[in-house]
Amino acid sequence: MIEKNFITSGRNTIIHKNRKFDLLIVNGENPVVIISNRGIGEYKGEIPRKRSEAKKVYQEVIDISSSECFGEEKTLLFVQALDNKEYKIDYSKINTPTFIKVHQENYI
């Protein structure tokens, strides 16, 4: 079994669980979001094509629409990051200041 660096919870929540790896969230044609141990933001780099390439640069690519995740693209996604904050990613508000926003300061 392959060890994942994240957990899915409910219908639209991802929990980052490994400080060493960054998560790259792919949601269809929408901008790619990176989650690291320091926070969250829009990813501008090149997405690794293979799992082995991603592992070499300490990243894991999560395709939201894949069957191992949620099985469909999401408009609203919540991410519990390792900086003790829960973020809300609202794909209907791309290119606005509220695209990625802190939802809860301390979720623990």
Side-chain angles (χ1 to χ4, degrees):
M1 188 170 143
I2 298 171
E3 180 66 26
K4 295 181 184 176
N5 297 304
F6 67 96
I7 302 169
T8 57
S9 175
R11 293 188 295 174
N12 62 349
T13 303
I14 293 178
I15 302 167
H16 188 192
K17 69 176 193 173
N18 190 342
R19 184 172 297 278
K20 188 176 179 181
F21 281 83
D22 296 339
L23 304 178
L24 298 177
I25 298 179
V26 177
N27 190 12
E29 296 297 317
N30 297 309
V32 177
V33 175
I34 185 168
I35 304 160
S36 69
N37 63 342
R38 295 176 299 283
I40 187 170
E42 201 170 324
Y43 184 67
K44 302 291 184 190
E46 190 173 325
I47 301 169
R49 289 176 296 197
K50 296 180 184 176
R51 182 180 221 110
S52 60
E53 290 175 5
K55 198 171 185 179
K56 286 179 186 176
V57 291
Y58 298 101
Q59 293 177 337
E60 182 163 346
V61 178
I62 304 169
D63 185 1
I64 297 297
S65 61
S66 71
S67 61
E68 71 178 17
C69 198
F70 297 118
E72 63 184 1
E73 291 182 18
K74 297 290 184 179
T75 304
L76 189 64
L77 186 68
F78 293 96
V79 175
Q80 291 181 359
L82 294 172
D83 62 355
N84 289 337
K85 293 180 184 171
E86 183 177 70
Y87 295 91
K88 178 172 78 170
I89 304 170
D90 191 346
Y91 286 99
S92 67
K93 297 179 180 176
I94 295 171
N95 298 325
T96 67
T98 56
F99 171 50
I100 300 173
K101 173 178 161 179
V102 174
H103 183 65
Q104 260 182 311
E105 277 298 322
N106 294 314
Y107 65 87
I108 295 178

